[in-house]
Amino acid sequence: MTDKYEDGKQAVDYKDMAPKDVRALIRSGVITGQTSGMCDGYAQANLVVLPKDLAFDFLLFAFKNPKSCPLLEVTNAGDRLLTEIADHADIATDIPQYRIYEKGVLTGEYTDVSSFWRDDLVSFLIGCSFSFEGELLSADVPVRQIEENCNVPMYKTNIPCKSAGVFHGNMVVSMRPIPYELVPKAVLVTGAMPKVHGAPVHIGNPEAIGIRDINHPDFGDMVTIKEGEVPVFWPCGVTPQSVIMDSKPDFCITHSPGHMFVTDVKNVNLKY
């Protein structure tokens, strides 16, 4: 189902707004939908929040799986205000939609997780492929979910992540249909941005990476694949959510897929 905004606006209507202004609208509940296409030129981030006693294991997991989990910022335990990728943004209020997992089970989705906050929680902000979509558009490579005003399709795969401590599982990928002749350009453009997942991990033939039905993504929405286009798959920052479901920590907060944290970092500063 397409993810719309309560005020009826599309994501692209926010493309020229400053990140701090979009975050203010998110904090006030005006924006509750997915963030693809917002704040053109600025990076977006995935979120994982874990108790301090699991933080080192997850830090090691991210270090061993940099394509799926490129870290942009890690907070001290208990801190809600970010200092590196945004100016004093509140990580408990400034994402349109959050998820709570308990023992690997999704127990709720919220637009504010202040009431769940604890002094032992450590936040991990992870690079997001939404960040390179502006670069693709600038290179005249279409981005279908922006055209169709919906969430990007995401799929669980059979590509194993490297385990670390209690964390184990397979990679999640996001898919964008790319015209055959533009695939090399898409690879070059995104490959120059490794801090937001970088180049694709697979092109074509979804079954080869364990995707049984491309028309039914595990997260997000299906988009149109036109004649002459090939599905291209990038590592996705929803990978930790799949890993959380497999690893079953007692408590975890994440973003809802496609509902990202909009940073103050310009995409150009995330290139090689």
Side-chain angles (χ1 to χ4, degrees), residues 27 40 47 58 66-67 92 107 133 137 145 152 176 188 209 218 228 258-259 261 265:
R27 195 178 312 123
D40 189 28
L47 175 69
F58 188 80
K67 290 185 72 67
T107 56
E133 291 177 344
L137 291 172
Q145 87 269 7
V152 67
R176 294 161 185 82
L188 287 172
I209 56 172
D218 295 294
H259 300 67
F261 178 79
V265 178

Side-chain angles (χ1 to χ4, degrees), residues 6 21-32 93-94 111-112:
E6 289 182 354
D21 295 330
V22 164
R23 292 197 301 267
L25 292 174
I26 290 169
R27 195 178 312 123
S28 64
V30 173
I31 295 175
T32 59
T93 63
D94 292 1
T111 57
D112 184 323

Side-chain angles (χ1 to χ4, degrees), residues 99-115:
R99 287 184 166 186
I100 301 288
Y101 290 91
E102 297 179 83
K103 298 187 184 301
V105 177
L106 175 62
T107 56
E109 292 189 287
Y110 306 88
T111 57
D112 184 323
V113 290
S114 300
S115 62

Side-chain angles (χ1 to χ4, degrees), residues 134-189:
E135 299 296 309
L136 289 174
L137 291 172
S138 295
D140 296 321
V141 178
V143 179
R144 189 60 35 76
Q145 87 269 7
I146 292 180
E147 295 173 356
E148 298 185 350
N149 186 37
C150 64
N151 204 347
V152 67
M154 294 161 272
Y155 305 85
K156 297 178 181 179
T157 74
N158 59 12
I159 303 171
C161 296
K162 294 181 179 178
S163 299
V166 301
F167 296 107
H168 58 88
N170 291 345
M171 182 185 292
V172 173
V173 293
S174 60
M175 186 278 290
R176 294 161 185 82
I178 306 294
Y180 287 101
E181 69 276 11
L182 294 179
V183 170
K185 184 186 288 188
V187 172
L188 287 172
V189 167

Side-chain angles (χ1 to χ4, degrees), residues 117-128:
W117 205 259
R118 303 174 354 196
D119 290 340
D120 68 332
L121 294 179
V122 177
S123 298
F124 297 85
L125 283 301
I126 296 166
C128 171

Side-chain angles (χ1 to χ4, degrees), residues 6 16 19 57 61 78 121 127 130 159 183 196 201 221 223 226 257-258:
E6 289 182 354
D16 296 323
D57 279 3
F61 179 85
L121 294 179
F130 285 177
I159 303 171
V183 170
V196 288
V201 291
D221 303 310
V223 296
K226 299 178 181 179

Side-chain angles (χ1 to χ4, degrees), residues 198-234:
V201 291
H202 188 71
I203 297 170
N205 190 12
E207 292 83 3
I209 56 172
I211 299 171
R212 291 190 293 270
D213 186 352
I214 198 168
N215 293 312
H216 291 88
D218 295 294
F219 309 95
D221 303 310
M222 186 53 202
V223 296
T224 305
I225 301 176
K226 299 178 181 179
E227 186 175 353
E229 293 181 336
V230 59
V232 180
F233 301 92
W234 279 268

